Amino acid sequence: MLRGMIQHILILGAGTAGLLAALTLKMKLPHLKVEVLRSPDIGVIGVGEGTNITFPVHMFEYLGVSKERFYSLVDPTWKLGIRFLWGSRPDFFYPFATEFSGRFPEVTRANATYLGEKDRWIGPISALMAHDKAFPRNANGRPEMHDYTAFHLENRRLVGGLEVLCREAGVEVTDGTLSRAERGSEGIAALNLTDSRRVKADLYVDASGFRSELMGQAMAEPFISFSRSLYCDRAVVGGWKRKPGETILPYTLAETMEAGWAWRIDHEDLINRGYVYSSPFLSDDDARAEFLRKNPRVDPETTRVVKFVSGRRARAWVGNCVCIGNAGGFVEPLEATAIQVICQQSATLTKGLAECQCQPSDAMRSLYNRFVSKDWDDIRDFLSIHYRFNTRLDNPFWRACRSDVDLGGALEMTEFWKAHGPSAIPNGLLIWAGSSFGLEGYFSLLKGQDVPVSKPYQPTAAEKTAWRRRLDGYGSMARNACSAEEAIAAFRVMA
Ligand SMILES: Cc1cc2nc3c(=O)[nH]c(=O)nc-3n(C[C@H](O)[C@H](O)[C@H](O)COP(=O)(O)OP(=O)(O)OC[C@H]3O[C@@H](n4cnc5c(N)ncnc54)[C@H](O)[C@@H]3O)c2cc1C
């Protein structure tokens, strides 16, 4: 074996991050020995249920996992985007499609230019969302499946399904709990387990969640806080059983609350809610009381508070240690980005290892670190505009957000918007070309929150007529479309 060649990868932690990383590495680099250490004593976090489009693209297109197999293991529901109860409009939608930044051929500017104050949708996917529908109905009366959808997944069911897929791919999943990591010249020398075993590998992946056992504790890699942009640091979570016949919403709801916001995620049998809040502005007891007032169907006995810190490790790959998932960074789930980052990091690590024939250099590690840092910082910047421009409530928390939230790398983009509105400048000039949200994300949030434009474009009469005809057409399609319940039934028959 060549010195420095990686043949054996040991992943600490069998949550979403550890298993997704293992599956990706083993499926793409099958010659490697990939081992996951699963603790029988320490559980998984048990939250993390919304994805964005990166997840299905990673699973089905990049890894080639069969959709039918995945659906049968995990029972996901569909998520077409996010419905925000945010800003001055009653609501607005951020669809997983090119709608705000797209341009209909009959008009001259990006579609976001033409969205009126009372318009609830701007294209076919947001029209479906506005009608609580998941798929258009085809000529046979059945759902016309489309790919503009991510998933809602129950965390424990996802973890169980990923473990099955990992074992089928040849990943070794073994029980063990870390007691102490030994440091060595390369980074980590060995892991000592509570059952007295001492295990070694060529590359260690820290997927131990918030404990960050290897990168945070053993390697002491500094943590870069996002607290200047993101003030929330806790969530109270709970849910209730869905009644038969109750609509399954095909989107995540994000609702403004007194000191943060609340999600609603619909599964087939459960509806989950969580209130993400800022503890300097609201006590746990008051957050729980507000949460229960808004959600009287939640059983108070089932609620729990989860604490978190927003930020990332300075470097994600140091020596022979890589961190992934909550062990490497965390931001609140306002755009459901944690699983997205896990997919992007797993794929980038895998591609990097393939390129360097599993003999990584400092240059490879440095490039990887640059990518991961930019990815996290891009997410922080995008989330900051949700807080800086939300005018819905006037209280100490939201006033502080509107005056003090640091927009970071989003500042230039928002200044441009205020001057010129939704100009179809090429993606990559004002925002990072690798941004997961792109112009679509920025336009959705800036238009949805009605961030003022100093000299807005005035559409011509012909444009106004064409616009109305478009929206009316999408509205008719959506009124006649299929609900998530109908689609689940049809999908099961097809499978
Ligand atoms: C309130 C909240 C809501 C969230 N919502 C979303 C969402 O909607 N979408 C989204 O993408 N993400 C969301 N997340 C993030 C979510 O946590 C991640 O998506 C993901 O589930 C975390 O996976 P993980 O594997 O990093 O952590 P964990 O699930 O915590 O897994 C860590 C693993 O490491 C193991 N471990 C720890 N210490 C040891 C040890 N000493 N020895 C051996 N094993 C050990 C544990 O047993 C576990 O298996 C949310 C997070 C929070 C807090």
Side-chain angles (χ1 to χ4, degrees):
M1 179 185 115
L2 286 170
R3 195 177 173 279
M5 177 175 278
I6 292 166
Q7 294 191 319
H8 177 192
I9 300 181
L10 182 59
I11 298 176
L12 178 70
T16 310
L19 293 167
L20 252 176
L23 185 68
T24 308
L25 286 159
K26 188 67 190 173
M27 288 187 82
K28 290 291 178 182
L29 301 170
H31 64 282
L32 291 178
K33 175 174 170 172
V34 179
E35 191 181 352
V36 175
L37 211 55
R38 184 188 54 183
S39 169
D41 314 312
I42 306 167
V44 295
I45 191 166
V47 281
E49 322 203 55
T51 72
N52 60 30
I53 219 86
T54 310
F55 179 75
V57 169
H58 183 83
M59 291 298 278
F60 308 134
E61 291 176 28
Y62 179 58
L63 294 183
V65 170
S66 127
K67 271 190 194 171
E68 287 72 18
R69 182 87 181 108
F70 179 79
Y71 277 69
S72 72
L73 287 169
V74 179
D75 283 331
T77 49
W78 292 284
K79 171 181 173 185
L80 276 60
I82 304 172
R83 177 183 172 209
F84 283 98
L85 305 188
W86 214 268
S88 55
R89 290 168 186 258
D91 62 0
F92 68 90
F93 297 89
Y94 170 16
F96 294 145
T98 309
E99 297 196 345
F100 282 82
S101 59
R103 182 175 69 78
F104 298 137
E106 314 89 292
V107 296
T108 55
R109 316 251 316 168
N111 291 340
T113 312
Y114 303 91
L115 190 80
E117 274 173 25
K118 297 218 164 87
D119 292 336
R120 286 191 74 221
W121 57 89
I122 186 167
I125 301 301
S126 51
L128 288 168
M129 293 165 75
H131 291 83
D132 292 345
K133 299 287 177 60
F135 298 100
R137 193 177 298 283
N138 67 20
N140 301 322
R142 285 200 287 274
E144 185 69 41
M145 299 303 212
H146 57 75
D147 287 333
Y148 299 105
T149 175
F151 295 126
H152 290 142
L153 314 148
E154 274 190 77
N155 183 263
R156 288 192 174 79
R157 217 177 271 178
L158 171 65
V159 169
L162 287 174
E163 189 176 328
V164 171
L165 292 172
C166 275
R167 287 180 191 276
E168 286 173 359
V171 173
E172 294 173 30
V173 183
T174 49
D175 279 352
T177 301
L178 175 82
S179 63
R180 191 176 67 84
E182 272 174 46
R183 288 292 312 266
S185 58
E186 303 272 305
I188 302 288
L191 305 188
N192 293 287
L193 308 187
T194 50
D195 59 10
S196 305
R197 274 183 297 150
R198 180 173 181 272
V199 289
K200 285 172 71 72
D202 306 317
L203 183 74
Y204 299 85
V205 176
D206 183 356
S208 63
F210 288 143
R211 298 162 76 109
S212 196
E213 296 270 13
L214 306 183
M215 194 60 92
Q217 295 195 43
M219 307 279 288
E221 181 64 14
F223 187 79
I224 296 180
S225 166
F226 289 167
S227 62
R228 282 159 48 92
S229 300
L230 303 174
Y231 297 169
C232 291
D233 57 359
R234 292 192 186 181
V236 52
V237 296
W240 62 85
K241 283 220 163 307
R242 198 173 74 89
K243 281 191 199 137
E246 198 175 342
T247 304
I248 299 177
L249 300 180
Y251 49 76
T252 299
L253 182 74
E255 178 179 7
T256 305
M257 301 280 278
E258 290 294 324
W261 62 279
W263 76 76
R264 171 178 163 149
I265 285 182
D266 283 33
H267 301 291
E268 205 180 337
D269 46 359
L270 281 176
I271 292 168
N272 273 348
R273 288 284 258 165
Y275 178 9
V276 175
Y277 59 97
S278 172
S279 64
F281 287 88
L282 195 70
S283 71
D284 291 347
D285 285 347
D286 287 347
R288 197 164 164 274
E290 187 189 348
F291 180 66
L292 291 172
R293 233 181 7 258
K294 282 246 166 148
N295 300 286
R297 289 172 70 189
V298 171
D299 174 357
E301 298 304 314
T302 63
T303 58
R304 65 178 170 126
V305 170
V306 185
K307 298 182 182 172
F308 58 81
V309 183
S310 292
R312 62 167 171 86
R313 295 279 153 207
R315 291 171 300 173
W317 189 349
V318 184
N320 63 359
C321 182
V322 175
C323 56
I324 204 157
N326 293 352
F330 183 80
V331 296
E332 61 193 80
L334 186 47
E335 287 288 342
T337 41
I339 296 176
Q340 162 201 316
V341 178
I342 297 168
C343 293
Q344 286 164 331
Q345 269 189 263
S346 303
T348 309
L349 177 65
T350 304
K351 287 173 192 165
L353 288 176
E355 282 302 315
C356 69
Q357 300 173 71
C358 293
Q359 296 171 82
S361 59
D362 284 345
M364 174 65 75
R365 279 185 277 269
S366 154
L367 209 62
Y368 178 84
N369 285 331
R370 197 183 331 153
F371 167 77
V372 174
S373 307
K374 275 195 92 66
D375 202 17
W376 276 120
D377 296 351
D378 174 55
I379 294 170
R380 176 205 57 204
D381 295 347
F382 185 55
L383 295 190
S384 74
I385 69 171
H386 297 59
Y387 284 103
R388 187 68 188 245
F389 298 111
N390 184 3
T391 52
R392 199 168 191 101
L393 292 182
D394 191 24
N395 64 23
F397 173 76
W398 285 104
R399 277 197 294 275
C401 289
R402 285 193 290 273
S403 64
D404 300 335
V405 157
D406 182 357
L407 289 167
L411 178 65
E412 196 185 9
M413 168 72 203
T414 55
E415 290 302 310
F416 187 89
W417 171 281
K418 287 180 196 166
H420 303 290
S423 157
I425 29 114
N427 210 351
L429 268 186
L430 280 177
I431 46 179
W432 177 43
S435 167
S436 306
F437 312 102
L439 283 183
E440 181 67 21
Y442 279 89
F443 284 6
S444 303
L445 264 295
L446 294 170
K447 185 70 194 184
Q449 293 176 100
D450 283 317
V451 177
V453 176
S454 63
K455 290 187 199 117
Y457 172 77
Q458 299 303 328
T460 63
E463 284 182 319
K464 284 184 188 164
T465 308
W467 179 255
R468 197 52 45 216
R469 200 177 308 124
R470 279 272 174 185
L471 295 202
D472 289 350
Y474 294 133
S476 310
M477 173 281 293
R479 274 188 290 281
N480 180 43
C482 296
S483 65
E485 296 87 319
E486 274 183 88
I488 289 171
F491 193 84
R492 291 215 170 110
V493 171
M494 282 190 294

